[in-house]
Amino acid sequence: MLDTLVFVTVLLPFLVAAVLLVLREQNVRKVILVATAGVLILASLAMLRGGAFIMSPAPLWGSLVTLGDFLILAVVLLVGLKRKNQIIVWLTVAQIVGLIWFDFFMIQDHGATPAFFADDLSLVMVLVVSIVGSLIAVYGIGYMKEHEEHLHLTTSKQPQFFFFIVLFLGAMNGLVLANNMLWMYFFWECTTLCSFMLIGHDDTEIARKNAERALWMNVLGGTAFLFGVMLLYKVTGTLSLQEILARGPEFAVAGGAILVPMFLLVFAGMTKAAQAPFQSWLTGAMVAPTPVSALLHSSTMVKAGVYIIVRLAPIYAGTYFSNFVALFGGFVFLATACLAAGQSNGKKILAYSTISNLALIIACAGINTPAAITAAILLILFHAISKALMFLCVGAIEQKIGSRDIEDMRGLFARMPRTALVAVIGILTMMLPPFGMLMAKWMAIESAHGQFLLMIMLALGSGVTVLFWCRWAGLMLATPFAKAAPEAQDSTIRGPLYLLAGLAVVLSFFSPLVYNGLVAPVVAMYYKTAPYVLRFGNFESSTGVFLVYPLFILLGLGFFFALRQTRKITAAQAVGPYMCGEQTAVDGKPGFLGPLGQNVTAVSGNYYLEQFFGEAMLSKWINVIALAVLVIMLFGGAL
């Protein structure tokens, strides 16, 4: 049974991807994708029920993984040579040389390390990848049909697209289940290659440019990962992640020797998670089709980065290095939240808010207490759901109105009532108590108690997020007051939107059960004391209380009375704001009579504080400070 579940979650996507690559019949592709999504979801739930395990496949698979490593590096090297990108070329050559030395001269017995193991953290990650990632893949069926019609393609590129989408899911599941660090490196590089191919899918000049940037930054992280694994093996004498974690306290006492590979692996995680100064690869990935953006941001690429940082946290707990990780995360959390506040491009808002939330997870890993790790895992879970939902909403909206600018979404409820309401639900679950994201942020801020600077950065960053989320939600529900038109939508688009919105709300409502069933067991693996006590479904700790169900009751009452009052408003009472003159409407556009009796069309817009929060203003300084902290982290913390 165990072999079957690992096969389904890891190897099956590789096989399905190969079938999709040669399959040209669209209806058959749709059936295969939906069926694969269902199988992955059921397998991840069955794996969760089965609990922790450790296993080794036949030795042949180890040889295939080694061969796969060199094949991926060869492809990346060819890309670097073709694009004449010296950074990609030399970093890839360094990996090839390092891998040859490591594989054939350093490692004594390849078969001694079990390939896979799962504990409670791995099982949570498999759930996130298999459920959220599968829903994104299904959404891609309807989306890519319209996308290619918009591009007027004569030959469909969907076989290649879905090949890499499904391959991505298998690689990510393999990464979070890998026990052998060399197997993890293989899956790590698989995600790098998949992201490069997907970002450049449309093959426009800007797509190729951003795909190349994503590749060299992630190849840099891959190089750090490989040499980090080599140093870790030299210090610990094992490739087994499970054994390294079990002996974590022993290595922590040893001091700097273990912290050098920890720095390299954490650095690799930061590049994969697009942390400053490497955030440009993820913001540039917005040129890709929306399912790619959703997959990268919610359940695969960037989550691999924070996964490795959280996974290794017990090893560097209590060190100066851990403190630097927390400060780095806190700074990037606040800085990129400010960048998001200065954007009107919906995808860029989502991109910067993703980087910001990933930084918060990294800060929690650096704080390294039971409460902080609890917050990190809850953030991984709830962020994946809500952020995937928001990206898919933006994709549906963009195809309908031809824009991803939130100013063009003013009054969207009148044109796309279903999608607008689902998007507002997504926004509310990102910023409002008692939903899971806000609860996890509260836990993160609370866990920083006693670290004044970090606590201020986390509190300010959380406050800034409210600004851009409220602005966006308000625009979609804003005037003009018009009767909502019926909205037609493909079932493969509508289904994932509704399911993700339902998951975000339902899991938040049952957050005490989520904590007991998924999060508390992870924390218990490394800490003796539980961070929170549940009383009547509310979270209590030594520093505060989070009231889940009383807040849900207040929220429900607020919505009930607001809706009841709204229904009493007649069309005659629904008037626009006063505009310094008699109100008019020309071609349906509101305005007023200005000087000499001429009509003046009213134009409204938000203030984006570009002189304070603009990319041109902040990005350079954010990158300089982040790079300085990374240097200090290496020389001050690790050495």
Side-chain angles (χ1 to χ4, degrees), residues 516-541:
N516 274 335
L518 297 179
V519 181
V522 178
V523 178
M525 292 189 302
Y526 305 112
Y527 300 96
K528 295 180 180 179
T529 58
Y532 296 100
V533 176
L534 291 176
R535 286 196 175 90
F536 307 107
N538 301 312
F539 291 84
E540 297 183 13
S541 71

mmCIF file of all heavy atoms in Angstrom, residues 516-541:
data_model
loop_
_atom_site.group_PDB
_atom_site.id
_atom_site.type_symbol
_atom_site.label_atom_id
_atom_site.label_comp_id
_atom_site.label_asym_id
_atom_site.label_seq_id
_atom_site.Cartn_x
_atom_site.Cartn_y
_atom_site.Cartn_z
ATOM 1 N N ASN A 516 -4.819 20.695 15.650
ATOM 2 C CA ASN A 516 -4.638 19.432 16.381
ATOM 3 C C ASN A 516 -4.208 18.297 15.458
ATOM 4 O O ASN A 516 -3.371 17.469 15.818
ATOM 5 C CB ASN A 516 -5.935 19.033 17.094
ATOM 6 C CG ASN A 516 -6.055 19.685 18.462
ATOM 7 O OD1 ASN A 516 -5.058 20.031 19.080
ATOM 8 N ND2 ASN A 516 -7.276 19.861 18.930
ATOM 9 N N GLY A 517 -4.788 18.256 14.256
ATOM 10 C CA GLY A 517 -4.546 17.124 13.378
ATOM 11 C C GLY A 517 -3.309 17.235 12.511
ATOM 12 O O GLY A 517 -2.659 16.218 12.222
ATOM 13 N N LEU A 518 -2.952 18.465 12.092
ATOM 14 C CA LEU A 518 -1.857 18.625 11.140
ATOM 15 C C LEU A 518 -0.639 19.351 11.694
ATOM 16 O O LEU A 518 0.498 19.026 11.341
ATOM 17 C CB LEU A 518 -2.355 19.383 9.899
ATOM 18 C CG LEU A 518 -3.456 18.719 9.065
ATOM 19 C CD1 LEU A 518 -3.839 19.614 7.900
ATOM 20 C CD2 LEU A 518 -3.010 17.360 8.559
ATOM 21 N N VAL A 519 -0.868 20.346 12.541
ATOM 22 C CA VAL A 519 0.230 21.231 12.950
ATOM 23 C C VAL A 519 0.870 20.787 14.260
ATOM 24 O O VAL A 519 2.109 20.693 14.354
ATOM 25 C CB VAL A 519 -0.266 22.685 13.060
ATOM 26 C CG1 VAL A 519 0.877 23.613 13.453
ATOM 27 C CG2 VAL A 519 -0.898 23.129 11.747
ATOM 28 N N ALA A 520 0.071 20.532 15.270
ATOM 29 C CA ALA A 520 0.617 20.146 16.576
ATOM 30 C C ALA A 520 1.547 18.932 16.487
ATOM 31 O O ALA A 520 2.596 18.917 17.156
ATOM 32 C CB ALA A 520 -0.522 19.893 17.565
ATOM 33 N N PRO A 521 1.217 17.895 15.677
ATOM 34 C CA PRO A 521 2.153 16.765 15.576
ATOM 35 C C PRO A 521 3.518 17.156 15.018
ATOM 36 O O PRO A 521 4.540 16.589 15.414
ATOM 37 C CB PRO A 521 1.421 15.807 14.626
ATOM 38 C CG PRO A 521 -0.023 16.141 14.777
ATOM 39 C CD PRO A 521 -0.054 17.623 14.986
ATOM 40 N N VAL A 522 3.565 18.126 14.093
ATOM 41 C CA VAL A 522 4.849 18.581 13.547
ATOM 42 C C VAL A 522 5.676 19.249 14.640
ATOM 43 O O VAL A 522 6.868 18.975 14.803
ATOM 44 C CB VAL A 522 4.630 19.564 12.379
ATOM 45 C CG1 VAL A 522 5.971 20.063 11.846
ATOM 46 C CG2 VAL A 522 3.835 18.908 11.268
ATOM 47 N N VAL A 523 5.041 20.133 15.397
ATOM 48 C CA VAL A 523 5.741 20.856 16.460
ATOM 49 C C VAL A 523 6.219 19.882 17.530
ATOM 50 O O VAL A 523 7.333 20.017 18.080
ATOM 51 C CB VAL A 523 4.813 21.924 17.064
ATOM 52 C CG1 VAL A 523 5.509 22.657 18.212
ATOM 53 C CG2 VAL A 523 4.379 22.922 15.992
ATOM 54 N N ALA A 524 5.406 18.879 17.812
ATOM 55 C CA ALA A 524 5.753 17.910 18.860
ATOM 56 C C ALA A 524 6.978 17.082 18.504
ATOM 57 O O ALA A 524 7.624 16.517 19.401
ATOM 58 C CB ALA A 524 4.565 16.986 19.126
ATOM 59 N N MET A 525 7.331 17.005 17.218
ATOM 60 C CA MET A 525 8.518 16.233 16.831
ATOM 61 C C MET A 525 9.801 16.850 17.373
ATOM 62 O O MET A 525 10.785 16.157 17.603
ATOM 63 C CB MET A 525 8.603 16.143 15.303
ATOM 64 C CG MET A 525 7.520 15.310 14.648
ATOM 65 S SD MET A 525 7.847 15.029 12.880
ATOM 66 C CE MET A 525 7.936 16.701 12.234
ATOM 67 N N TYR A 526 9.814 18.179 17.552
ATOM 68 C CA TYR A 526 11.059 18.872 17.885
ATOM 69 C C TYR A 526 10.997 19.660 19.193
ATOM 70 O O TYR A 526 12.027 20.115 19.682
ATOM 71 C CB TYR A 526 11.435 19.818 16.746
ATOM 72 C CG TYR A 526 11.525 19.123 15.409
ATOM 73 C CD1 TYR A 526 10.605 19.381 14.400
ATOM 74 C CD2 TYR A 526 12.519 18.175 15.164
ATOM 75 C CE1 TYR A 526 10.682 18.731 13.172
ATOM 76 C CE2 TYR A 526 12.605 17.524 13.945
ATOM 77 C CZ TYR A 526 11.681 17.801 12.953
ATOM 78 O OH TYR A 526 11.758 17.154 11.754
ATOM 79 N N TYR A 527 9.801 19.848 19.732
ATOM 80 C CA TYR A 527 9.664 20.643 20.953
ATOM 81 C C TYR A 527 8.865 19.855 21.990
ATOM 82 O O TYR A 527 7.918 19.152 21.652
ATOM 83 C CB TYR A 527 8.974 21.975 20.661
ATOM 84 C CG TYR A 527 9.715 22.848 19.677
ATOM 85 C CD1 TYR A 527 9.380 22.856 18.329
ATOM 86 C CD2 TYR A 527 10.767 23.664 20.096
ATOM 87 C CE1 TYR A 527 10.061 23.653 17.424
ATOM 88 C CE2 TYR A 527 11.451 24.463 19.191
ATOM 89 C CZ TYR A 527 11.096 24.454 17.862
ATOM 90 O OH TYR A 527 11.773 25.234 16.964
ATOM 91 N N LYS A 528 9.237 20.030 23.238
ATOM 92 C CA LYS A 528 8.590 19.271 24.304
ATOM 93 C C LYS A 528 7.266 19.880 24.740
ATOM 94 O O LYS A 528 6.387 19.195 25.229
ATOM 95 C CB LYS A 528 9.535 19.172 25.510
ATOM 96 C CG LYS A 528 10.809 18.373 25.236
ATOM 97 C CD LYS A 528 11.702 18.320 26.456
ATOM 98 C CE LYS A 528 12.963 17.523 26.167
ATOM 99 N NZ LYS A 528 13.890 17.476 27.338
ATOM 100 N N THR A 529 7.131 21.185 24.590
ATOM 101 C CA THR A 529 5.915 21.857 25.047
ATOM 102 C C THR A 529 5.080 22.340 23.871
ATOM 103 O O THR A 529 5.605 22.793 22.855
ATOM 104 C CB THR A 529 6.256 23.063 25.939
ATOM 105 O OG1 THR A 529 7.087 23.971 25.193
ATOM 106 C CG2 THR A 529 7.002 22.614 27.188
ATOM 107 N N ALA A 530 3.764 22.249 24.025
ATOM 108 C CA ALA A 530 2.851 22.731 22.987
ATOM 109 C C ALA A 530 2.689 24.243 23.131
ATOM 110 O O ALA A 530 2.573 24.753 24.255
ATOM 111 C CB ALA A 530 1.495 22.043 23.115
ATOM 112 N N PRO A 531 2.679 24.986 22.026
ATOM 113 C CA PRO A 531 2.601 26.447 22.120
ATOM 114 C C PRO A 531 1.221 26.962 22.500
ATOM 115 O O PRO A 531 1.097 28.033 23.078
ATOM 116 C CB PRO A 531 2.986 26.906 20.722
ATOM 117 C CG PRO A 531 2.599 25.768 19.834
ATOM 118 C CD PRO A 531 2.825 24.533 20.640
ATOM 119 N N TYR A 532 0.174 26.194 22.158
ATOM 120 C CA TYR A 532 -1.183 26.684 22.389
ATOM 121 C C TYR A 532 -2.039 25.615 23.055
ATOM 122 O O TYR A 532 -1.864 24.411 22.816
ATOM 123 C CB TYR A 532 -1.846 27.109 21.069
ATOM 124 C CG TYR A 532 -1.140 28.273 20.429
ATOM 125 C CD1 TYR A 532 -0.237 28.069 19.380
ATOM 126 C CD2 TYR A 532 -1.332 29.575 20.877
ATOM 127 C CE1 TYR A 532 0.440 29.130 18.809
ATOM 128 C CE2 TYR A 532 -0.654 30.639 20.316
ATOM 129 C CZ TYR A 532 0.229 30.409 19.281
ATOM 130 O OH TYR A 532 0.900 31.463 18.728
ATOM 131 N N VAL A 533 -2.942 26.094 23.893
ATOM 132 C CA VAL A 533 -3.955 25.239 24.508
ATOM 133 C C VAL A 533 -5.294 25.620 23.897
ATOM 134 O O VAL A 533 -5.626 26.801 23.799
ATOM 135 C CB VAL A 533 -3.987 25.428 26.038
ATOM 136 C CG1 VAL A 533 -5.120 24.610 26.647
ATOM 137 C CG2 VAL A 533 -2.644 25.031 26.640
ATOM 138 N N LEU A 534 -6.056 24.613 23.476
ATOM 139 C CA LEU A 534 -7.370 24.868 22.878
ATOM 140 C C LEU A 534 -8.451 24.744 23.943
ATOM 141 O O LEU A 534 -8.591 23.699 24.577
ATOM 142 C CB LEU A 534 -7.642 23.886 21.746
ATOM 143 C CG LEU A 534 -6.791 24.053 20.486
ATOM 144 C CD1 LEU A 534 -7.093 22.956 19.487
ATOM 145 C CD2 LEU A 534 -7.040 25.412 19.861
ATOM 146 N N ARG A 535 -9.189 25.837 24.144
ATOM 147 C CA ARG A 535 -10.335 25.816 25.057
ATOM 148 C C ARG A 535 -11.551 26.349 24.317
ATOM 149 O O ARG A 535 -11.537 27.474 23.826
ATOM 150 C CB ARG A 535 -10.056 26.678 26.302
ATOM 151 C CG ARG A 535 -9.074 26.036 27.276
ATOM 152 C CD ARG A 535 -9.123 26.720 28.643
ATOM 153 N NE ARG A 535 -8.284 26.041 29.606
ATOM 154 C CZ ARG A 535 -6.998 26.324 29.810
ATOM 155 N NH1 ARG A 535 -6.422 27.281 29.115
ATOM 156 N NH2 ARG A 535 -6.303 25.659 30.716
ATOM 157 N N PHE A 536 -12.557 25.502 24.193
ATOM 158 C CA PHE A 536 -13.782 25.864 23.471
ATOM 159 C C PHE A 536 -13.469 26.326 22.042
ATOM 160 O O PHE A 536 -14.124 27.218 21.511
ATOM 161 C CB PHE A 536 -14.553 26.953 24.237
ATOM 162 C CG PHE A 536 -14.834 26.604 25.660
ATOM 163 C CD1 PHE A 536 -14.145 27.230 26.692
ATOM 164 C CD2 PHE A 536 -15.768 25.630 25.974
ATOM 165 C CE1 PHE A 536 -14.401 26.900 28.021
ATOM 166 C CE2 PHE A 536 -16.025 25.287 27.304
ATOM 167 C CZ PHE A 536 -15.342 25.921 28.321
ATOM 168 N N GLY A 537 -12.452 25.711 21.450
ATOM 169 C CA GLY A 537 -12.107 26.041 20.073
ATOM 170 C C GLY A 537 -11.269 27.284 19.904
ATOM 171 O O GLY A 537 -10.996 27.700 18.775
ATOM 172 N N ASN A 538 -10.838 27.905 20.984
ATOM 173 C CA ASN A 538 -10.035 29.130 20.924
ATOM 174 C C ASN A 538 -8.583 28.826 21.301
ATOM 175 O O ASN A 538 -8.319 27.935 22.104
ATOM 176 C CB ASN A 538 -10.618 30.188 21.853
ATOM 177 C CG ASN A 538 -12.052 30.528 21.492
ATOM 178 O OD1 ASN A 538 -12.369 30.759 20.332
ATOM 179 N ND2 ASN A 538 -12.936 30.545 22.490
ATOM 180 N N PHE A 539 -7.656 29.586 20.734
ATOM 181 C CA PHE A 539 -6.230 29.363 20.974
ATOM 182 C C PHE A 539 -5.755 30.222 22.138
ATOM 183 O O PHE A 539 -5.894 31.448 22.106
ATOM 184 C CB PHE A 539 -5.424 29.715 19.719
ATOM 185 C CG PHE A 539 -5.649 28.769 18.572
ATOM 186 C CD1 PHE A 539 -6.728 28.936 17.724
ATOM 187 C CD2 PHE A 539 -4.781 27.707 18.353
ATOM 188 C CE1 PHE A 539 -6.936 28.074 16.658
ATOM 189 C CE2 PHE A 539 -4.983 26.832 17.291
ATOM 190 C CZ PHE A 539 -6.063 27.013 16.446
ATOM 191 N N GLU A 540 -5.175 29.589 23.137
ATOM 192 C CA GLU A 540 -4.667 30.301 24.299
ATOM 193 C C GLU A 540 -3.184 30.000 24.478
ATOM 194 O O GLU A 540 -2.744 28.867 24.316
ATOM 195 C CB GLU A 540 -5.424 29.899 25.572
ATOM 196 C CG GLU A 540 -6.902 30.253 25.544
ATOM 197 C CD GLU A 540 -7.600 29.913 26.852
ATOM 198 O OE1 GLU A 540 -6.888 29.633 27.836
ATOM 199 O OE2 GLU A 540 -8.840 29.925 26.883
ATOM 200 N N SER A 541 -2.426 31.042 24.803
ATOM 201 C CA SER A 541 -1.007 30.879 25.104
ATOM 202 C C SER A 541 -0.658 31.774 26.275
ATOM 203 O O SER A 541 -1.516 32.494 26.807
ATOM 204 C CB SER A 541 -0.148 31.244 23.883
ATOM 205 O OG SER A 541 -0.183 32.649 23.665
#
